[in-house]
């Protein structure tokens, strides 16, 4: 098979309203099965997507539906077509000062219209790929990718085939349109003034129908393991963390909990200590024994209080049902090994508080990490009211102080949307 990639030279500067198909048709000679690869800049110019904007950031805001990652002034965002790219594709290069160029409003529609026009003018069977320049998450350097297509299957699915050694291919799906875009960019270049290339020799890829365009190239959110930048993922996990009080019966992956514990123990602590221990209740029998013993101890304590009849006690102890209904429990414990011994009660109390704060920071890390693993959680304080009982049932050392219990599991329903809290309401500046 012979493959040629040919630049289409001699195209004039494209202005708004230009008949782009006619310009391209006149600039070259085409054959059946040719694939025309067209940089999005000239498509945008022909469609009047040039914007007079002194503030490029405002133009990026207008084109953005979701910020994926941000570092300094650089933003990786998703635009309304689902494309994840730097600055939403808003480009200030190759345009007059004080203007920016936006991507085509619907690149697939642009590719379909351009293909139809070119086929009418040339009488040839053609495909069209509209491209733009992207960075890549794991590699340096830029390359062109397809953002619009017509007359071409943008993906080639090799799954179910065998390789040259007879091995079954189970994962391989080739991004054909992106490969064409990158190959064409070798003759188009970034500053050569050649915005169109012809890829010749792959006529078998050209389809009679326009096809689905580039939509199949956009990974669905549910399958995107890298949907957010690091800091954005952390902020979203913190924002999405909710107290979950109803769980499904799906078992919890113990490895996921251990990963969450690994995040928990990065919390700050006084005197270079490690004042946390996490007791993982993976046995249903152990959970039941603990909760039954805690319930009995709680009832005994409440009966000693004035005005607490059995009905009131039942209502109060029912709050612990979230622990009983969860498929997994974690009991975080505070260990004050390494604390300083102060004879002054005030300093001794402060020392204890320092360690308690560290325990709280560790539990917060745990809860956020569990959210990142897809689990819901509820931090319930009940073990703090019967620490001796908990230590006895779980056979814990005397110096381990249970700091509540964390129920873990898949949420049975979507948490209610919580209104955003204005941080300024909690800030005092001196």
């Amino acid at each position: 098979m012979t493959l040629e990639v040919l630049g289409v030279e001699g195209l004039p500067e494209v202005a708004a309203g230009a008949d782009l198909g006619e310009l391209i048709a006149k600039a070259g000679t085409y054959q059946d099965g040719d694939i025309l690869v067209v940089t999005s800049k000239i498509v945008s110019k022909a469609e009047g997507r040039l914007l007079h904007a002194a503030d490029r950031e405002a133009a990026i805001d207008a084109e953005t539906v979701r910020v994926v990652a941000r570092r300094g002034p650089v933003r990786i965002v998703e635009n309304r077509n689902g494309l994840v790219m730097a600055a939403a594709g808003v480009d200030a290069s190759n345009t007059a000062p004080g203007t920016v160029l936006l991507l085509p409003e619907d690149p697939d529609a642009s590719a379909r219209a351009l293909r139809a026009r070119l086929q009418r003018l040339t009488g040839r069977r053609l495909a069209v790929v509209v491209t733009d320049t992207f960075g890549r998450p794991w590699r340096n350097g830029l390359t062109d990718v397809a953002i619009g297509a017509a007359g071409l299957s943008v993906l080639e699915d090799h799954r179910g085939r065998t390789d040259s050694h007879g091995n079954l291919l189970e994962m391989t799906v080739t991004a054909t349109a992106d490969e064409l875009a990158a190959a064409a960019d070798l003759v188009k270049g970034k500053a050569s003034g050649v915005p169109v290339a012809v890829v010749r020799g792959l006529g078998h890829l050209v389809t009679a129908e326009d096809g689905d365009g580039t939509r199949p190239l956009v990974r669905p959110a549910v399958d995107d393991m890298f949907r957010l930048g690091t800091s954005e993922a952390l902020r979203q996990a913190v924002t999405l963390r909710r107290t979950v009080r109803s769980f499904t019966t799906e078992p919890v992956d113990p490895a996921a909990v251990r990963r969450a514990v690994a995040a928990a123990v990065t919390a700050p602590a006084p005197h270079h200590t490690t004042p946390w221990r996490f007791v993982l209740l993976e046995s249903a029998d152990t959970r039941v024994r603990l909760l039954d013993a805690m319930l009995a101890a709680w009832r005994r304590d409440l009966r000693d209080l004035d005005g607490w009849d059995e009905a009131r006690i039942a209502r109060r102890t029912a709050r612990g049902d979230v622990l009983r209904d969860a498929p997994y429990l974690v009991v975080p414990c505070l260990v004050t090994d390494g604390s300083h011994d102060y004879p002054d009660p005030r300093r001794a109390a402060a020392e204890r508080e320092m360690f308690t704060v560290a325990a709280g920071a560790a539990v917060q890390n745990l809860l956020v990490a569990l959210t990142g693993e897809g689990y819901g959680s509820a931090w319930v304080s009940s073990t703090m009211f019967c620490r001796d009982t908990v230590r006895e049932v779980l056979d814990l050392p005397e110096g381990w102080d249970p700091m509540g219990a964390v129920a873990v599991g898949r949420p049975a329903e979507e948490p209610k949307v919580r209104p955003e809290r204005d941080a300024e309401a909690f800030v005092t500046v001196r």
Side-chain angles (χ1 to χ4, degrees), residues 44 47 49 51 58-68 76-90 101-108 134 147 214-215 218 227:
S44 294
E47 294 180 354
R49 296 284 283 166
L51 181 68
I60 296 171
D61 290 341
E63 293 294 300
T64 296
V65 298
R66 180 174 64 91
V67 175
V68 175
I76 307 299
V77 304
E78 178 184 346
N79 74 1
R80 61 176 58 90
N81 291 309
L83 301 173
V84 176
M85 59 197 310
V90 176
L101 196 62
L102 310 181
L103 290 178
E105 189 166 352
D106 185 342
D108 284 328
F134 276 43
I147 65 169
T214 54
R215 178 57 53 181
V218 178
R227 187 164 171 78

Side-chain angles (χ1 to χ4, degrees), residues 4 20 39 68 73 90 105 135 189 191 196 201-203 221 225 237 241 283 292 297 301 308 313 325-326 330 338 386:
E4 296 180 282
L20 186 59
T39 186
V68 175
V90 176
E105 189 166 352
V196 180
L202 297 176
M225 295 176 66
R241 194 209 67 74
S283 162
D292 284 350
D301 291 343
W308 284 78
I313 291 172
D325 294 340
V330 178
C386 50

Side-chain angles (χ1 to χ4, degrees), residues 51-405:
L51 181 68
H52 292 274
D55 185 356
R56 180 170 178 256
E57 296 303 308
I60 296 171
D61 290 341
E63 293 294 300
T64 296
V65 298
R66 180 174 64 91
V67 175
V68 175
R70 183 194 304 265
R71 181 170 295 174
V74 178
R75 281 189 284 172
I76 307 299
V77 304
E78 178 184 346
N79 74 1
R80 61 176 58 90
N81 291 309
L83 301 173
V84 176
M85 59 197 310
V90 176
D91 197 345
S93 63
N94 294 316
T95 65
T99 64
V100 294
L101 196 62
L102 310 181
L103 290 178
E105 189 166 352
D106 185 342
D108 284 328
S110 300
R112 291 192 293 269
L114 184 57
R115 182 196 190 207
R117 181 68 171 147
L118 283 165
Q119 290 192 141
R120 281 197 301 270
L121 293 172
T122 64
R124 301 297 188 182
R125 180 175 59 89
L126 307 172
V128 170
V129 177
V130 177
T131 70
D132 197 55
T133 303
F134 276 43
R136 296 161 298 165
W138 304 286
R139 298 176 71 84
N140 287 322
L142 305 173
T143 186
D144 267 22
V145 302
I147 65 169
L152 178 79
S153 294
V154 297
L155 294 173
E156 184 175 4
D157 193 344
H158 298 271
R159 291 173 297 183
R161 305 178 190 176
T162 55
D163 63 16
S164 59
H165 294 282
N167 299 310
L168 182 66
L169 300 176
E170 298 179 348
M171 300 293 290
T172 305
V173 180
T174 302
T176 305
D178 284 346
E179 292 181 325
L180 291 166
D185 195 48
L186 294 174
V187 299
K188 289 194 291 135
K190 302 302 179 192
S192 63
V194 180
V196 180
V198 175
V199 178
R200 183 168 292 162
L202 297 176
H204 62 284
L205 298 179
V206 178
T207 60
E209 303 298 324
D210 285 335
D212 295 329
T214 54
R215 178 57 53 181
L217 288 168
V218 178
R219 194 187 303 276
V222 69
D223 296 330
D224 190 350
M225 295 176 66
F226 307 96
R227 187 164 171 78
L228 296 169
T230 303
S231 61
E232 287 72 23
L234 176 59
R235 282 196 291 272
Q236 178 162 308
V238 171
T239 301
L240 293 178
R241 194 209 67 74
R242 296 285 190 276
T243 295
V244 174
R245 301 189 181 280
S246 178
F247 302 95
T248 70
T249 58
E250 179 184 338
V252 172
D253 179 8
V257 178
R258 283 163 173 78
R259 289 192 293 270
V261 170
V265 299
T266 65
H271 313 318
H272 305 289
T273 59
T274 54
W276 334 273
R277 302 294 184 271
F278 294 88
V279 185
L280 310 183
L281 305 190
E282 297 179 350
S283 162
D285 288 343
T286 300
R287 293 196 296 273
V288 170
R289 279 196 302 110
L290 174 64
L291 296 175
D292 284 350
M294 287 171 54
L295 179 59
W298 207 354
R299 283 174 172 166
R300 285 194 302 270
D301 291 343
L302 293 176
R303 289 191 184 107
D304 292 336
L305 301 178
D306 291 337
W308 284 78
D309 57 18
E310 290 300 321
R312 186 178 180 185
I313 291 172
R315 288 194 300 271
R316 184 65 183 85
T317 56
R319 298 179 185 179
D321 286 348
V322 63
L323 299 177
R324 197 173 291 274
D325 294 340
Y328 198 106
L329 295 180
V330 178
V331 178
C333 294
L334 172 65
V335 177
T336 56
D337 295 347
S339 63
H340 294 175
D341 185 14
Y342 291 106
D344 176 5
R346 180 175 59 85
R347 289 181 176 272
E351 181 78 1
R352 169 78 182 188
E353 288 174 356
M354 288 167 52
F355 279 77
T356 302
V357 167
V363 174
Q364 173 72 355
N365 282 4
L366 178 81
L367 301 180
V368 171
L370 287 170
T371 300
E373 295 281 353
Y375 290 107
S377 62
W379 187 14
V380 181
S381 61
S382 53
T383 66
M384 300 171 68
F385 293 89
C386 50
R387 285 178 165 136
D388 289 339
T389 299
V390 175
R391 280 191 287 263
E392 180 181 352
V393 173
L394 299 181
D395 192 24
L396 303 180
E398 180 64 28
W400 289 26
D401 278 347
M403 304 298 287

